[in-house]
């Protein structure tokens, strides 16, 4: 029912697959996986957040408005879970060398940028040697984390209970001349390496209106939308600028900022 309201199209040959604006989803019970983007989740709220690029509160409002407004039966309680408690992976210092090799050798990120990130605890390695990038709120309290696999098999995800609308990943910085919104932590680090005078942060996906964005815009600083140079990134950048006209588009000259950095390297 939720997938139908999201205008997802069922695969005629595989009942577990649905075509959406974000790519093909594999749906098993309340869980889904987007193999095109390497992310997944569970429950109706996660599904709406992913397909519609909404925050938790916005997704809940969308569900309530859509189902009650059309007189439909709302999703079962099991598909609309309460907010999950944040479960950050524990740091495992001995795994950092492997993570650092991946970030430097595969992603071509400058090693010099890691020192302040490590000291602040914003980035670390977990027990599976995933790279962990913390999302923090205005009080520097962790509210989530982006996870990136460091093996040959591409993998990315979020720590359970992450609240993307409550904070973001950002490189520690002094006041900069502009802020660039990127789709991931690795893109934010890459963008900063290419534009050292810019403050670069991650929206953890191409999300046009996270809850923390309006207060940031109200500060009056120049803000660029640096989403990927692909149809999804362009569409979400257009929506962001429609909601926040002062934000300008800064389109990477490659598919994303990390691809551009690797080209330069």
């Amino acid at each position: 029912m939720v997938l139908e309201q999201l205008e997802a199209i069922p695969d005629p040959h595989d009942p577990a697959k649905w075509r959406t604006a974000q790519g093909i989803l594999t749906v098993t019970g309340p869980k889904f996986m987007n193999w095109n983007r390497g992310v997944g989740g569970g429950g109706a709220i996660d599904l709406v957040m992913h397909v519609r690029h909404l925050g938790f509160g916005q997704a809940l409002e969308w569900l309530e408005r859509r189902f009650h407004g059309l007189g439909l039966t709302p999703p079962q309680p099991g598909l609309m879970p309460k907010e999950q408690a944040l479960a950050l992976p524990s740091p495992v210092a001995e795994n950092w060398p492997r993570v650092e090799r991946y970030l430097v050798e595969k992603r071509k990120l400058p090693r010099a940028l890691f020192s302040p990130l490590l000291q602040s605890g914003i980035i670390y390695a977990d027990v599976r040697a995933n790279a962990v990038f913390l999302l923090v709120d205005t009080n520097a309290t962790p509210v989530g984390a982006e996870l990136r696999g460091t093996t040959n098999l591409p993998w990315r995800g979020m720590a359970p209970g992450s609240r993307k609308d409550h904070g973001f990943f950002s490189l520690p910085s002094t006041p900069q001349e502009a802020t660039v919104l990127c789709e991931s932590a690795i893109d934010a680090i890459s963008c900063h390496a290419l534009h050292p005078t810019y403050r670069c942060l991650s929206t953890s996906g191409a999300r046009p209106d996270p809850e923390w964005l309006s207060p940031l815009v109200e500060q009056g600083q120049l803000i660029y939308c640096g989403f990927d140079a692909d149809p999804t990134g362009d569409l979400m950048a257009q929506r962001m600028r429609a909601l926040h006209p002062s934000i300008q588009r800064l389109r990477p000259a490659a598919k994303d900022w990390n691809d551009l950095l690797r080209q330069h390297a």
Side-chain angles (χ1 to χ4, degrees):
M1 184 70 74
V2 177
L3 285 162
E4 293 170 354
Q5 291 301 309
L6 288 168
E7 299 180 349
I9 302 174
D11 188 304
H13 306 293
D14 188 343
K17 290 185 178 180
W18 294 74
R19 298 181 182 276
T20 74
Q22 303 305 320
I24 297 176
L25 304 185
T26 299
V27 181
T28 307
K31 296 183 179 181
F32 68 88
M33 184 66 193
N34 185 330
W35 299 105
N36 299 91
R37 304 184 71 85
V39 297
I45 297 177
D46 271 0
L47 181 62
V48 175
M49 289 173 65
H50 176 70
V51 176
R52 302 282 297 184
H53 284 289
L54 299 175
F56 180 88
Q58 294 170 317
L60 186 58
E61 291 176 2
W62 185 93
L63 283 164
E64 292 176 344
R65 182 172 62 252
R66 177 69 56 162
F67 283 88
H68 290 295
L70 296 178
L72 301 173
T73 302
Q76 296 300 313
L79 293 179
M80 297 184 66
K82 296 180 180 178
E83 288 197 21
Q84 185 178 6
L86 177 61
L88 293 174
S90 299
V92 178
E94 53 264 37
N95 284 342
W96 173 250
R98 173 177 164 179
V99 171
E100 185 178 44
R101 281 196 303 273
Y102 167 81
L103 295 175
V104 173
E105 296 175 7
K106 290 287 187 75
R107 293 295 179 168
K108 304 302 180 184
L109 301 179
R111 194 184 304 269
L113 291 180
F114 296 144
S115 180
L117 296 173
L118 286 168
Q119 291 177 4
S120 63
I122 293 295
I123 182 175
Y124 60 86
D126 69 8
V127 68
R128 294 183 175 139
N130 294 315
V132 181
F133 305 91
L134 288 187
L135 282 59
V136 300
D137 62 15
T138 55
N139 297 317
T141 301
V143 295
E146 294 183 28
L147 309 178
R148 181 71 67 130
T150 61
T151 65
N152 291 329
L153 180 64
W155 180 87
R156 61 190 295 182
M158 301 294 298
S162 292
R163 298 289 174 260
K164 298 178 183 180
D165 272 332
H166 294 180
F168 48 80
F169 170 86
S170 176
L171 284 76
S173 62
T174 55
Q176 303 290 323
E177 64 181 65
T179 295
V180 184
L181 309 177
C182 305
E183 289 192 27
S184 72
I186 286 180
D187 278 337
I189 298 173
S190 302
C191 184
H192 182 72
L194 293 164
H195 301 281
T197 62
Y198 290 170
R199 179 194 184 198
C200 302
L201 56 86
S202 169
T203 57
S204 300
R207 301 187 304 128
D209 194 29
E211 291 180 7
W212 47 260
L213 183 54
S214 289
L216 189 65
V217 170
E218 290 170 1
Q219 295 178 14
Q221 189 180 39
L222 177 60
I223 299 176
Y224 291 112
C225 178
F227 287 173
D228 293 358
D230 61 16
T232 298
D234 290 336
L235 177 61
M236 293 301 107
Q238 183 179 358
R239 290 183 181 177
M240 178 180 285
R241 296 192 64 211
L243 295 167
H244 306 281
S246 65
I247 294 179
Q248 300 182 28
R249 178 70 160 129
L250 183 62
R251 197 173 192 264
K255 193 270 184 186
D256 58 37
W257 293 106
N258 188 243
D259 281 351
L260 184 59
L261 179 66
R262 286 187 286 176
Q263 288 179 12
H264 282 225

